[in-house]
């Protein structure tokens, strides 16, 4: 029903951008993307991923989508996987929303567009209250979420040591929005 369905396509300068639901044949690129997230030390996706773990993750995503418990979107630039976003039912009245983009894909407006596409997906899951977390060190994402109407509802000070052993800590900020 959802697997591989294209949500939108458009041109961004001289590049082709496509957002669509994942499909099983995305596994090689999905694995490579998750490995890149680990290498780039994306804190939300900072686990080492091998082929088997990526296959389990993708299988779980596809099952959650088909059973009406989640919606995931992948974004491609010129046919290359550039990031992911998801809405997951995590409570009776709310869903958790989030995204991650590869470093080379940031600063192009894809995060904003991903969030704009995910919010209607939440409504399709019959969820109007959205919840997310963001690290205070990720000021770009935090400011984007505020611009999109998310408000800070909680903060866990010095929750995480930043990657690369800098001994710099980051707060975990909880944000919410009703759509």
């Amino acid at each position: 029903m959802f697997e591989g369905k294209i949500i939108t396509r458009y041109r961004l300068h001289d590049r082709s951008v496509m957002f669509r639901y994942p499909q099983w044949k995305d596994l090689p690129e999905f694995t490579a993307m998750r490995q890149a997230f680990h290498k780039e030390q994306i804190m939300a996706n900072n686990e080492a991923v091998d082929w088997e773990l990526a296959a389990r993750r993708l299988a779980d995503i596809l099952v959650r989508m088909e059973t009406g418990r989640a919606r995931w979107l992948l974004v491609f630039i010129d046919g290359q996987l550039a990031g992911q976003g998801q809405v997951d039912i995590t409570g009776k009245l709310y869903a958790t929303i989030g995204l991650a983009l590869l470093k080379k894909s940031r600063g192009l407006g894809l995060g904003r567009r991903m969030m704009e596409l995910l919010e209607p997906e939440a409504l399709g899951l019959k969820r109007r209250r959205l919840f997310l977390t963001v690290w205070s060190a990720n000021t770009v994402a935090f400011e984007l979420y505020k611009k999109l109407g998310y408000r800070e509802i909680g903060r866990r000070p010095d929750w995480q040591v930043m990657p690369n052993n800098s001994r710099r800590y980051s707060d975990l900020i909880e944000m919410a929005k009703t759509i």
Side-chain angles (χ1 to χ4, degrees), residues 94-158:
Y94 67 93
T96 302
I97 189 169
L99 64 95
L101 296 171
L102 293 172
K103 188 176 283 187
K104 65 183 180 183
S105 305
R106 295 183 203 140
L108 301 173
L110 298 175
R112 173 182 289 276
R113 188 67 182 128
M114 179 71 79
M115 293 297 285
E116 291 169 350
L117 292 170
L118 288 172
E119 288 181 2
E121 295 292 335
L123 292 174
L125 294 170
K126 299 180 175 46
R127 297 299 186 274
R128 296 188 64 235
R129 295 181 183 159
L130 301 177
F131 175 82
L132 62 82
T133 59
V134 61
W135 298 106
S136 61
N138 190 349
T139 56
V140 172
F142 179 66
E143 292 302 320
L144 170 65
Y145 298 145
K146 286 193 324 188
K147 286 177 188 173
L148 292 173
Y150 290 82
R151 60 184 170 74
E152 185 174 332
I153 59 170
R155 185 178 286 250
R156 300 176 195 179
D158 297 335

Side-chain angles (χ1 to χ4, degrees), residues 1-8 18-26 58-74 76 85 87 89 117-118 120-126:
M1 180 171 164
F2 295 102
E3 200 169 332
K5 180 181 173 192
I6 296 170
I7 303 302
T8 188
M18 177 179 60
F19 288 83
R20 70 163 169 79
Y21 295 121
Q23 56 191 347
W24 186 249
K25 66 182 177 181
D26 291 324
L58 184 55
D60 182 60
I61 289 166
L62 296 173
V63 168
R64 290 182 62 73
M65 286 180 50
E66 289 302 326
T67 57
R69 296 179 297 161
R71 294 289 187 274
W72 281 70
L73 296 178
L74 300 177
F76 294 82
V87 177
I89 292 177
L117 292 170
L118 288 172
E121 295 292 335
L123 292 174
L125 294 170
K126 299 180 175 46

